[in-house]
């Protein structure tokens, strides 16, 4: 087995080197395209990215030698490409993003070091539940809660702002996994009583989904964030269905979310505005529709091959470095670039679900499903929003967008997935 | 659970496949439309960064040119012609897009279409930028005179060659300087634009083709043509000498200006611009005849000027009119709700001048590439044929009569026979728009002209002749004297 592990780590090293080469080339090209000169800080930049990703790679070698070999290089590549675009769009943010990347890698290391066995997490189930819900709702507290771009998702502690929802999504995935593993027999159709015994007896089956729905509505209404709301609810319904195998939950969840969104559409102007802009941004081209149209214009201008790194005009897209970074990539790297990003997420999802399939116990299986669903669903929601497949909502593109909380959370998520992967390899050995 | 995980994988694939399809729609199928959408300001940036050809008058005065700069936009668009030519060149603004010739011929100016002049395979590999230079039909000599004559009075002058439709002069007052709008400091640009947009005198509006006014008695040329075309017996009918016409279905009367009396046959009526006579002709013609004639002359459709923004002139909506409605009598003398742009009135004069054919009005003469080879030349074509050559000749004779001893004596040019018609469109109690339309020489016209001076004191038929005629006369002299 040692041989196989060694091979996996060698593959990972090769892919990591490839990711570094791509990132460094992109960084140089972006600078050449923009100012026709080499980036001034090229050597420190190279040292930092090589150092950080090498550190992560060594950590995996030491702490999770049997883990999958593809996820870390992909995350590094997405992080690197994202950084290139952030640096190209906004120098100040780039410096912060570099710091956050370092913090993210540190969190990655810490997670691998602290969580030696995934089932350790199962023990603190209700603590996680409490912390998760708490984190989700803490931006609503007066004093520390902050509203940015209409969404109340941030907290401010001293000089630091943080989006606790990013961490909450992982903690809740852990809680859902442990809760559902325990209750899955109770919640599946096989245990549904014959005939309609009583409404209350039935309610037991639908209580959890109703509760999750209620929580997602709170996020939607109080924190004004359609994207996070969809992400949390989608995560729960997916995990509920995977745990119980009862497809009714999926249909019910879809229906409930549609109902909730429809109710909010008629009751809350910020939801209505999002939907209206999604359906017809053209008649609001210079007001609410401006953002999504600039994104669409950018991607259309990019076309098949893009304008070339540093040669486009993505600074016209509002929030290009954060939520709409995908549109900036589409403008300068074209369909080829956006397809590569989508392919990276598809690969991540495929690998994540493969880890779930190979996992040795139900908790690890379900947790891997949850963590993978978070990545896949979040990427889908924001890419769909930027391309007008869905209403545009303010969530980050994992690993790519600027955003400290998001980056740190996603590195923790990655570490957990690798931990599960390593754990099943060990169990097989 | 493994079964669900496999299904989940399929579901995720479906989601990402739909994203991929949508990406293809945005970045391949619609890419071209999105890239060139006018609301996509990248287009303006791209055009700004490119070299851009010059715009010049037919007699060689440069009106717009680009000079290299050191900043991000790379080139500064300058308008040496300033506000005299703003209504024609328009502006090329990073924030506000383009207008006028800058907009209509932007693809040629920026070289996106001039490259059709590739002469051989070698040019494909030649990275020299090809831009087009637009030469207008406008003659600076005529334009200058028109502007000097109009002076600081609100109004417009349009002069064109009736045989080609090429505009010789097109002056608006007030106007604006396009230079501040093409500047690079976008805050200053926005401040300048907002100030212009808020100005109650509407300097951004090209009055010559973008504004509509009551044409007053200049419209009698249309009424006269309608009579000759559609009811020739009216041409020999003698109308009674009246001070005022008793309008049907109303207690009010339609008076002549200043309480004068007039009457007689059509040439005499036109000569003195007899309101009572023409009002009766209108009633004799009927709604359909007068309205159809106006539409034949171009009312109800905007003239196909080659720069954007030409206004549609209007004959009133007649759906609720009685057969001999008093509004018909008023419309026949260019009042009621008849409204026309100065360009439209110049085209009416040009149709009479050009044997009954109005040519398509245009300001572009030709476009040449950097080597001086012609990329495109404007080929004159007819727009409307409102009257037969015979009717045009008859109306010309009557309009000569207006100049020789009628209301338009002020337009007479020594040695050249001018044909014209004045107009006075009352706006407020004591003010009126002073109009004149005309052409010269009457036997072989080289210029047709329309002049409006807004809100001039004095409400009499003489107002148009007194105020507008001298401007038109100077413009005609300049055009006929210019090389």
């Amino acid at each position: 087995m040692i041989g196989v592990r060694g091979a996996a780590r060698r593959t990972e090293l090769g892919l990591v080197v490839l990711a570094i080469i791509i990132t460094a080339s992109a960084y140089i090209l972006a600078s050449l395209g923009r100012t026709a000169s080499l980036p001034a800080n090229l050597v420190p930049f190279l040292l930092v990215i090589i150092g950080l990703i090498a550190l992560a790679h060594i950590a995996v070698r030491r702490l999770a030698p049997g883990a999958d070999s593809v996820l870390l290089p992909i995350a590094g590549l997405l992080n690197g490409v994202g950084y290139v675009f952030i640096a190209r769009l906004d120098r100040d943010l780039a410096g912060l993003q570099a710091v956050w990347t370092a913090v993210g890698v540190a969190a990655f290391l810490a997670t691998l070091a602290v969580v030696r066995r995934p089932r350790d997490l199962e023990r603190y189930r209700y603590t996680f539940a409490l912390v998760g819900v708490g984190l989700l709702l803490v931006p609503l507290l007066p004093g520390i809660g902050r509203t940015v771009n209409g969404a109340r998702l941030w907290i401010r502690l001293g000089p630091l702002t943080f989006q606790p929802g990013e961490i909450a999504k992982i903690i809740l995935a852990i809680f859902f996994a442990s809760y559902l593993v325990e209750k899955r027999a109770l919640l599946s159709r096989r245990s549904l009583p014959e005939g309609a015994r009583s409404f209350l007896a039935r309610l037991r089956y639908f209580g959890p989904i109703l509760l999750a729905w209620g929580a997602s509505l709170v996020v939607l209404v109080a924190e004004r964030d359609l994207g996070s709301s969809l992400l949390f609810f989608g995560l729960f319904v997916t995990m509920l269905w995977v745990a119980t195998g009862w497809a009714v939950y999926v249909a019910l969840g879809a229906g409930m979310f549609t109902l909730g969104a429809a109710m909010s559409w008629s009751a809350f102007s910020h939801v209505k505005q999002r939907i209206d802009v999604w359906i017809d941004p053209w008649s609001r081209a210079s007001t609410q529709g401006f953002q999504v149209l600039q994104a669409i214009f950018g991607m259309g201008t990019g076309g098949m091959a893009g304008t070339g790194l540093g040669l486009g005009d993505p600074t016209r897209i509002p929030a290009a470095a954060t939520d709409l970074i995908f549109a900036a990539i589409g403008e300068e790297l074209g369909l080829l670039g956006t397809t590569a990003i989508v392919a990276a997420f598809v690969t991540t999802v495929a690998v994540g679900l493969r880890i779930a399939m190979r996992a040795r116990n139900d908790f690890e299986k379900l947790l891997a499903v949850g963590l993978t669903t978070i990545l896949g669903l979040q990427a889908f929601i924001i890419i769909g929003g930027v391309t007008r497949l869905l209403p545009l909502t303010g969530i980050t593109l994992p690993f790519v967008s600027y955003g400290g909380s998001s980056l740190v959370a996603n590195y923790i998520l990655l570490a957990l997935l690798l931990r599960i992967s390593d754990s099943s390899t060990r169990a097989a050995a | 659970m493994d079964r669900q995980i496999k299904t989940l994988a399929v579901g995720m694939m479906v989601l990402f496949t739909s994203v991929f399809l949508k990406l293809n729609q945005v970045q391949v199928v619609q890419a071209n439309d999105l890239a060139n959408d006018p609301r996509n300001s990248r287009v303006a940036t791209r055009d700004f960064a490119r070299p851009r050809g010059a715009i010049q008058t037919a007699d060689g005065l440069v009106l717009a040119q680009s000079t290299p700069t050191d900043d991000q936009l790379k080139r500064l668009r300058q308008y040496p012609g300033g506000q005299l030519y703003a209504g024609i060149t328009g502006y090329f603004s990073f924030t506000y897009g383009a207008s006028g010739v800058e907009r209509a011929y932007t693809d040629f100016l920026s070289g996106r279409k001039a490259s059709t002049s590739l002469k051989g395979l070698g040019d494909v590999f030649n990275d020299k930028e090809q831009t087009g230079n637009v030469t207008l039909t406008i003659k600076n000599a005529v334009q200058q005179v028109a502007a000097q004559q109009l002076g600081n009075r609100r109004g417009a002058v349009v002069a064109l060659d009736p045989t080609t439709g090429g505009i010789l002069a097109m002056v608006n007052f007030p106007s604006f300087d396009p230079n501040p709008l093409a500047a690079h400091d976008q805050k200053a640009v926005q401040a300048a634009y907002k100030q212009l947009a808020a100005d109650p005198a509407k300097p951004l509006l090209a009055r010559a083709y973008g504004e509509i006014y009551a044409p007053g008695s200049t419209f009698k040329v249309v009424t006269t043509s309608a009579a000759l075309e559609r009811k020739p017996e009216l041409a020999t009918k003698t109308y009674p000498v009246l001070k005022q016409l008793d309008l049907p279905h109303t207690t009010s009367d339609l008076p002549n200006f200043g309480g004068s009396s007039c009457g007689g046959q059509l040439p005499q009526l036109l000569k003195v611009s007899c309101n009572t006579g023409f009002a009766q002709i209108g009633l004799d013609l009927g709604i359909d005849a007068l309205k159809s004639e106006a539409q034949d002359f171009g009312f109800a459709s905007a003239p196909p000027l080659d720069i954007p923004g030409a206004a549609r002139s209007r004959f009133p909506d007649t759906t609720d009119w009685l057969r001999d409605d008093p509004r018909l009598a008023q419309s026949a003398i260019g009042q009621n709700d008849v409204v026309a742009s100065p360009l439209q009135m110049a085209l009416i004069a040009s149709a009479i001048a050009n044997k009954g054919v109005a040519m398509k009005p245009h300001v572009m003469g030709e476009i040449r590439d950097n080597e001086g080879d012609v990329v495109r030349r404007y080929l004159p074509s007819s727009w409307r044929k409102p009257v037969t050559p015979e009717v045009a000749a008859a109306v010309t004779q009557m309009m000569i009569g207006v100049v020789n001893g009628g209301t338009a004596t002020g337009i007479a040019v020594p040695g050249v026979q001018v044909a014209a018609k004045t107009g006075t469109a009352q706006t407020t109690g004591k003010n009126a728009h002073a109009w004149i339309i005309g052409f010269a020489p009457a036997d072989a016209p080289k210029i047709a002209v329309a002049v409006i001076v807004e809100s001039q004191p004095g409400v009499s038929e003489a107002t148009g002749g007194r105020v507008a005629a001298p401007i038109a006369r100077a413009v005609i002299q300049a055009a006929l004297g210019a090389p």
Side-chain angles (χ1 to χ4, degrees), chain A residues 126 129 133 136-137 172 175-176 179 187 203-219 229 232-233 236-237 240 249 252-253 256:
Chain A
Y126 290 101
V133 173
L136 206 52
L137 299 181
L172 285 175
F175 165 67
F176 292 161
Y179 170 81
L187 292 171
L203 196 63
R204 196 179 51 159
Y205 298 89
F206 302 109
I209 196 170
L210 279 171
L211 209 63
W213 182 59
S216 76
L217 280 184
V218 168
V219 172
S229 172
F232 287 123
F233 192 60
F236 180 75
V237 171
L240 182 60
Y249 282 129
L252 194 68
M256 282 162 77

Side-chain angles (χ1 to χ4, degrees), chain B residues 144-160:
Chain B
Q144 290 284 358
V145 168
Q148 279 159 15
Q149 290 292 319
L150 184 60
N152 290 341
R153 293 175 288 185
R154 285 189 198 178
V157 179
V158 179
L160 56 92

Side-chain angles (χ1 to χ4, degrees), chain A residues 234-249:
Chain A
L235 171 67
F236 180 75
V237 171
T238 304
M239 291 178 75
L240 182 60
W241 164 68
V242 170
T244 61
W246 199 16
V248 168
Y249 282 129

Side-chain angles (χ1 to χ4, degrees), chain A residues 241-242 245 282 294 296-297 299-301 303 316-317 330-331 335 338-339 353 357 362 365 376 380 383 387, chain B residues 1-2 4-9 13 15-16 19-20 22 24 27-28 31 34 37 39-42 45 94:
Chain A
W241 164 68
V242 170
W282 304 101
Q294 286 305 317
I296 294 275
F297 285 149
M299 288 187 288
T301 307
R316 295 180 177 281
I317 306 167
E331 177 165 353
L335 182 67
T338 50
T339 305
L353 293 181
M357 296 282 284
D362 287 352
K365 228 181 231 312
F380 172 72
I383 298 178
T387 53
Chain B
M1 278 199 281
D2 286 0
Q4 286 92 290
I5 294 174
K6 280 178 192 160
T7 314
L8 178 63
M13 279 310 293
L15 293 188
F16 281 105
V19 160
F20 180 66
K22 181 74 186 177
N24 275 276
Q27 299 200 276
V28 180
L34 291 169
D37 191 293
R39 288 165 292 199
N40 184 351
S41 44
R42 290 165 186 80
T45 319
F94 185 73

Side-chain angles (χ1 to χ4, degrees), chain B residues 213-216 219 299 314-316 330-332 334-340:
Chain B
Y213 304 89
F219 189 76
F299 281 75
R314 282 199 318 265
F315 192 83
Q330 287 167 334
S331 299
Q335 292 183 3
N336 188 240
D337 286 335
V338 179
V339 280

Side-chain angles (χ1 to χ4, degrees), chain A residues 18-92:
Chain A
L18 200 62
I20 291 174
I21 292 173
I22 293 173
T23 303
S25 315
Y27 190 66
I28 294 169
L29 283 174
S31 176
L32 285 175
R34 230 156 68 87
T35 60
S37 62
L38 285 174
N41 57 354
L42 182 60
V43 174
F45 167 79
L46 284 173
L47 290 177
V48 167
I49 61 158
I50 292 173
L52 284 176
I53 201 157
L55 202 62
H57 171 67
I58 292 166
V60 177
R61 270 182 187 265
R62 285 285 168 84
L63 299 169
D68 174 86
S69 58
V70 179
L71 286 182
L72 178 67
I74 288 184
L77 180 66
L78 289 174
N79 195 171
V81 170
Y83 180 82
V84 167
F85 273 88
I86 294 162
R88 182 246 172 284
L89 288 160
D90 188 334
R91 278 265 145 218
D92 297 341

